[in-house]
Amino acid sequence: MSKKRQTKSGPRRRRKQALKPCPPIRGGWARLRRGILAAVLVGVSCAPSLMSGAWAKPASDAAAVPGTGVTFDRRQPVTFQADRIDYNQKTNIVTLSGHVEAWQAGHVLFADRVLYDRNSNIADAIGHVVLVSPDGQIVYSNYAELSQNMTNGIMSAVNITLPLNAKLAANGGRRTGGEINELTRAVYTACEVCAKHPDRYPLWQITARSATQDVQHHLIEYRDATMEIYGVPILWFPYFSHPDPSAKRMSGLLIPDAGFNTHLGAFAALPYYWVINNSADATITPIISTKDGLAGDVKYAQDFNFGTLKVDASSGLDNGRLQGALFANGLFDLNPSWRAGFNVQRASSVNYLNDYSILPNANELQSEFYLEGFGDGSYARLETSFFQGLVGSVTDSDLPLVLPYGVYSYTGQPDSLGGTFSVNANALNIRRTSGTNTERAAISSDYSLPFQDNLGELWSTVFHIDAAAYNATGLNNYPNYDANRSSASEGRALPQVALNYRWPIMNDSGFLGSQLFQPIVQLIGAPIIGNNIDKTNIPNEDSYDFQFTDANLFGFNKYPGIDRLENGMRANLGLESEWFLGNGGTIDGLIGQSYRAHKDDTFAPGSGLNDNVSDIVARLTYTPTAWLDFVYRTRLSHTSLQDRYTDTFVSAGSPLLRITAGYLYSAVNPYYYYDGSPPPASYYLPRSEVTFGLSTAYKQWTFSTSFQRNIETGQFDSTNFSGGWQNDCLGIGLLFSRVNTTIGTDSGSTTVLLTVTLKTIGAIGFNAL
């Protein structure tokens, strides 16, 4: 690059310059008065004071403030005030001296001295010149020659203040139409300049042989530009541009991205941001890699008065094959009560999503279209959804196509007795290429009547019913695997009644705080019905994902959904206690158990609900101070008190040093969906894993690390590290992540990301994925 910059007289040597601070305004009162006027006179006019006057040379049009829609009449005279005014009748020159202030057509001028030539309509401002534009931009200079209602001018030792603490300085500049500032030997930075040592270099700055600030289009362009760190050149650009900090959106090239990927090889991406109109924009990113060649991504977003739309479409070569992906979502208000939306996720393969880091480690994609309405205590939704499998264990033929699913829920106001009625109705139609096809119409309804006795005991009676009608084909296929039949039509209704009881007891312990104890009893009466498919002919679509904990101890159904229902005579008992500490901390605990008059063998083995007496479930949360949070959940065998399930998490420390740790244990595989048939041997393999994290933030530095380890296999599932440094104008971040999860043919991935963010300029990143 040095050879390209040589001239006939030899290599050109540039004099380094540090960004100078804005020249101070002399005098405390003058500074205060001028600061107030500079703020006020941008939007309003001000009457002249003593020793003031006006001169005018009418113009023929109006001046518009760029980007604001505000218009000023250029035919307005110049209004001014100064400590001294002299007028030379021979030369027709007005000399203003001492705290000169002048304003015209939204422009405000401050200077020590101003010479105004009434013949040429040119004003020379000398000493501590400050020019405030109608858009709020402030330009400082030692000398300025102004004309055309202060919109044209030539200035020396220019300093321009911009939003977000950005500063633009130059040895000299030319102002044209109040919209273009052409600068020589320009310097730009968003860093603070040392007030005690103004000659010191800021952390970073851009120096250029020339620069142009387009005020109307909010753009700054540089020619022969150099990026410097503490005055040391690190990058040279023959041409460089960026939006000025006042720009909300602007079309143009974004900071390029580059890196190395084990799947793609070395790659580079050059995004282009396109402002289509006031409500729509797009980011177009071409990508080139050494292993697969060309690829591209287009992100489109648009806001409407009645909704939003976002689309992300990409395509490229991956392992020699043309592949792609589409992600889109939208939400649109139809009227105050109804809205419609969609969410589309489709991809050619899981390898494409992983290799280009679009959606790594995904097993399936879901797409849906929906219509939903909101009323007074009511909600309705109609949707259709379909899925795409991405790994061998999740095939498209087994995944459902929902055409459609509708739900309506309503909760009424309390009646004269204080009782509340609610209803939830739904209907669905599920289709599979290879599997069970299910049609279902169902309704669930409650009537709850609460009351309180003289001892403060809280009672409630709840009447509940679940009713559903089914028509199914392919029952002998996934996911039901009925060995006796392939199709069936069935109806079922299960009425239940519950008596709920709580007796909250409060104890005041003075400075130790207060304690709340309450025994909880729930008695449920219901007929006994079968849940096995070989007995009921009812397919299972919504009751697979099941885990018995304190979260579902109380209620009519411990199963999720309604295809499998808890039934028979049973009781749920628990004891809950809360301790409200004097310093604002809390301790919350719950222990409970379920009892049933009959055994239910439809619960999964090892679920803790197979006998007449359930396992014991408990929860403890401990938050004594703002720097400690502890949550512990467990399920213990009711016969041996052996641990069957544990989920605990602790977070301790302050932002200076915070530690998080978690532990999960399950006596059986918690990720297995039990379908009623004898589970495989892998189901009985215990699952235990531990997570750990550490983070610290000290002044401008942040660090964090975390990992997840499978204790049974002795392997790390994931490892992460990040560190960063940030001040008022620069941010540096480093991220490392390793995932060992096997998805499809990908046995894991490693991510390394280095990001350098320059305030008001953008971010430069390097990836190794």
Side-chain angles (χ1 to χ4, degrees), residues 605 672 674 677-684:
Y672 178 80
Y674 178 68
S677 58
S682 59
Y683 171 74
Y684 295 97

Side-chain angles (χ1 to χ4, degrees), residues 501-550:
Y501 168 81
R502 292 174 181 259
W503 191 9
I505 302 173
M506 202 74 174
N507 178 52
D508 189 356
S509 301
F511 70 94
L512 294 177
S514 57
Q515 299 85 35
L516 172 66
F517 304 93
Q518 57 175 344
I520 306 173
V521 179
Q522 183 182 53
L523 304 177
I524 301 177
I528 298 176
I529 63 172
N531 268 323
N532 282 336
I533 190 170
D534 57 352
K535 298 178 182 178
T536 65
N537 302 326
I538 294 177
N540 187 0
E541 297 287 356
D542 62 7
S543 300
Y544 284 105
D545 189 8
F546 171 74
Q547 185 68 253
F548 177 43
T549 67
D550 63 286

Side-chain angles (χ1 to χ4, degrees), residues 393-574:
S393 59
V394 183
T395 60
D396 289 343
S397 59
D398 292 337
L399 292 174
L401 174 63
V402 183
L403 291 172
Y405 172 69
V407 62
Y408 173 79
S409 61
Y410 170 78
T411 300
Q413 298 294 325
D415 56 22
S416 58
L417 299 176
T420 304
F421 171 77
S422 64
V423 63
N424 186 300
N426 64 80
L428 59 81
N429 178 23
I430 294 179
R431 294 296 180 214
R432 292 182 176 89
T433 304
S434 176
T436 302
N437 299 321
T438 303
E439 299 170 1
R440 185 189 76 187
I443 185 171
S444 299
S445 182
D446 284 293
Y447 179 76
S448 176
L449 183 62
F451 55 94
Q452 179 177 344
D453 61 21
N454 294 330
L455 296 178
E457 298 171 301
L458 305 178
W459 303 79
S460 68
T461 302
V462 182
F463 299 93
H464 178 83
I465 186 171
D466 291 299
Y470 295 84
N471 181 51
T473 60
L475 285 172
N476 55 327
N477 296 322
Y478 174 87
N480 293 280
Y481 299 108
D482 186 358
N484 300 320
R485 60 190 61 80
S486 61
S487 61
S489 297
E490 190 76 17
R492 178 184 63 187
L494 178 62
Q496 303 184 72
V497 60
L499 177 64
N500 300 315
Y501 168 81
R502 292 174 181 259
W503 191 9
I505 302 173
M506 202 74 174
N507 178 52
D508 189 356
S509 301
F511 70 94
L512 294 177
S514 57
Q515 299 85 35
L516 172 66
F517 304 93
Q518 57 175 344
I520 306 173
V521 179
Q522 183 182 53
L523 304 177
I524 301 177
I528 298 176
I529 63 172
N531 268 323
N532 282 336
I533 190 170
D534 57 352
K535 298 178 182 178
T536 65
N537 302 326
I538 294 177
N540 187 0
E541 297 287 356
D542 62 7
S543 300
Y544 284 105
D545 189 8
F546 171 74
Q547 185 68 253
F548 177 43
T549 67
D550 63 286
N552 55 357
L553 172 62
F554 299 99
F556 285 102
N557 191 21
K558 293 180 174 60
Y559 283 108
I562 63 170
D563 289 341
R564 296 294 179 263
L565 296 174
E566 192 177 7
N567 55 85
M569 305 294 293
R570 57 199 189 276
N572 301 315
L573 307 180

Side-chain angles (χ1 to χ4, degrees), residues 64-352:
V65 182
T68 66
V70 179
T71 302
F72 289 92
D73 188 356
R74 285 180 173 173
R75 294 173 295 182
Q76 293 178 355
V78 177
T79 305
F80 62 89
Q81 65 180 22
D83 294 342
R84 178 184 175 88
I85 301 177
D86 297 311
Y87 175 60
N88 190 321
Q89 294 184 351
K90 293 183 178 180
T91 60
N92 206 19
I93 293 177
V94 179
T95 302
L96 310 176
S97 304
H99 303 104
V100 180
E101 300 168 6
W103 51 94
Q104 180 186 32
H107 295 269
V108 184
L109 172 67
F110 301 93
D112 293 340
R113 188 178 178 209
V114 173
L115 283 73
Y116 177 66
D117 189 339
R118 302 185 65 184
N119 299 315
S120 60
N121 198 27
I122 295 177
D124 293 337
I126 305 168
H128 299 92
V129 179
V130 181
L131 182 61
V132 183
S133 301
D135 61 356
Q137 185 179 96
I138 304 176
V139 179
Y140 300 85
S141 176
N142 289 339
Y143 170 82
E145 180 184 290
L146 303 174
S147 61
Q148 295 296 316
N149 312 104
M150 302 188 197
T151 60
N152 291 351
I154 299 175
M155 295 168 283
S156 64
V158 180
N159 279 270
I160 303 175
T161 61
L162 300 170
L164 302 178
N165 197 40
K167 297 165 280 289
L168 182 61
N171 287 350
R174 179 186 297 274
R175 185 180 183 89
T176 305
E179 299 177 355
I180 302 294
N181 293 325
E182 299 174 90
L183 308 173
T184 58
R185 297 296 181 185
V187 186
Y188 175 87
T189 187
C191 301
E192 289 287 352
V193 177
C194 182
K196 294 183 179 180
H197 305 281
D199 292 331
R200 290 183 179 179
Y201 294 102
L203 197 157
W204 66 263
Q205 64 180 10
I206 298 174
T207 63
R209 178 172 53 85
S210 64
T212 302
Q213 182 194 17
D214 189 335
V215 178
Q216 182 179 10
H217 298 97
H218 304 282
L219 182 68
I220 303 176
E221 299 175 293
Y222 307 89
R223 290 168 178 80
D224 192 7
T226 303
M227 169 64 69
E228 296 181 357
I229 301 294
Y230 284 120
V232 178
I234 60 171
L235 288 174
W236 175 79
F237 305 95
Y239 171 85
F240 181 74
S241 68
H242 65 86
D244 73 33
S246 64
K248 296 181 180 180
R249 300 188 309 156
M250 180 174 293
S251 298
L253 292 172
L254 303 180
I255 300 295
D257 190 14
F260 181 83
N261 182 306
T262 55
H263 305 289
L264 304 178
F267 68 89
L270 184 61
Y272 178 82
Y273 180 69
W274 177 24
V275 178
I276 301 173
N277 53 44
N278 291 334
S279 61
D281 56 53
T283 302
I284 305 168
T285 308
I287 304 170
I288 186 170
S289 64
T290 56
K291 288 187 177 181
D292 288 312
L294 293 175
D297 177 77
V298 177
K299 293 181 175 65
Y300 173 83
Q302 183 167 4
D303 290 333
F304 304 92
N305 292 332
F306 54 89
T308 60
L309 172 65
K310 294 182 179 180
V311 180
D312 184 357
S314 63
S315 180
L317 294 173
D318 189 22
N319 295 320
R321 296 175 52 195
L322 182 63
Q323 303 198 46
L326 173 64
F327 296 86
N329 63 81
L331 184 62
F332 309 98
D333 295 326
L334 306 180
N335 56 44
S337 300
W338 289 89
R339 67 183 184 183
F342 70 90
N343 179 35
V344 175
Q345 298 182 344
R346 303 294 289 178
S348 58
S349 71
V350 65
N351 289 335
Y352 175 75

